[in-house]
Amino acid sequence: VRLTFGHVRVGGKYMWKLVRSVAALFLVLAIASCSGPIAISNAQNSLTQQRSIAVELDRQFKLRQGEIATIATDSSAGSLTVEWIDIRDSRCPSGSQCAWEGQVAVSVRVMQGDRELGTVELIKSSRDREAAKTAIGGYEIEAIEVKPYPKTARRIPLSDYRVTLIVRLPAD
């Protein structure tokens, strides 16, 4: 196989070097294009300054990206902290007709003192007006509301979200 570039002919072992070089270049570009947004996202998350807010047990509070709620408890294990980790929003935008109403899933990490109790996901469907709740470490965590509600198919920036939560001791 011989290729001609202007007045230069390439063939034999030089051809294979050219093919390998071009393939390597495409591989590097493919890897760079896949890892680029992830690196940017991680860099943005690491630059987000975490802010701690003090809240009370059995009281609603709003949490936004980069905030950690600290809840004083009577437990000897220490105060409870709730950190917003992630949000996935697939709710059907208002004014749109969708085949599925969608849902919003909020992931929070719960710690008591220095001990991590775990990460929980609270899922609310658009149709379900009840709060999404789960039990962890002897407490009940409820996601009451997630705002803003999507108005268009445009993605909502993470910094715009506010999650209304409540942490309480479970009812007997």
Side-chain angles (χ1 to χ4, degrees):
V1 176
R2 294 190 185 276
L3 286 178
T4 303
F5 296 102
H7 296 294
V8 179
R9 283 191 174 165
V10 179
K13 68 179 181 179
Y14 297 109
M15 179 65 164
W16 290 114
K17 283 185 178 180
L18 177 65
V19 169
R20 284 192 309 233
S21 298
V22 170
L25 177 64
F26 280 117
L27 181 63
V28 167
L29 290 174
I31 291 170
S33 68
C34 289
S35 65
I38 294 169
I40 291 169
S41 175
N42 289 339
Q44 287 172 343
N45 286 341
S46 66
L47 293 176
T48 302
Q49 220 174 38
Q50 289 187 329
R51 191 171 75 99
S52 183
I53 58 171
V55 297
E56 295 179 33
L57 200 60
D58 295 321
R59 300 272 175 146
Q60 290 184 14
F61 60 95
K62 289 185 186 341
L63 206 55
R64 63 182 187 181
Q65 183 188 27
E67 289 183 331
I68 297 174
T70 304
I71 304 159
T73 65
D74 293 335
S75 171
S76 61
S79 61
L80 201 64
T81 58
V82 178
E83 178 185 5
W84 174 26
I85 300 298
D86 192 22
I87 191 163
R88 289 188 331 272
D89 194 352
S90 65
R91 296 174 291 180
C92 181
S94 58
S96 298
Q97 290 185 347
C98 302
W100 182 53
E101 73 271 1
Q103 63 186 20
V104 62
V106 179
S107 297
V108 295
R109 178 181 299 130
V110 182
M111 295 185 69
Q112 186 155 32
D114 293 334
R115 194 179 109 216
E116 183 171 338
L117 299 178
T119 300
V120 296
E121 188 172 62
L122 303 162
I123 301 173
K124 287 182 63 68
S125 71
S126 297
R127 189 181 336 167
D128 187 7
R129 298 291 176 216
E130 286 191 30
K133 57 183 156 184
T134 190
I136 184 168
Y139 296 91
E140 186 177 87
I141 299 176
E142 249 181 90
I144 297 167
E145 185 176 53
V146 179
K147 285 192 171 187
Y149 193 90
K151 289 186 171 69
T152 64
R154 182 182 70 79
R155 188 177 184 103
I156 300 169
L158 284 177
S159 59
D160 289 356
Y161 279 102
R162 301 294 181 268
V163 180
T164 303
L165 300 167
I166 189 169
V167 178
R168 61 172 65 104
L169 291 169
D172 293 327

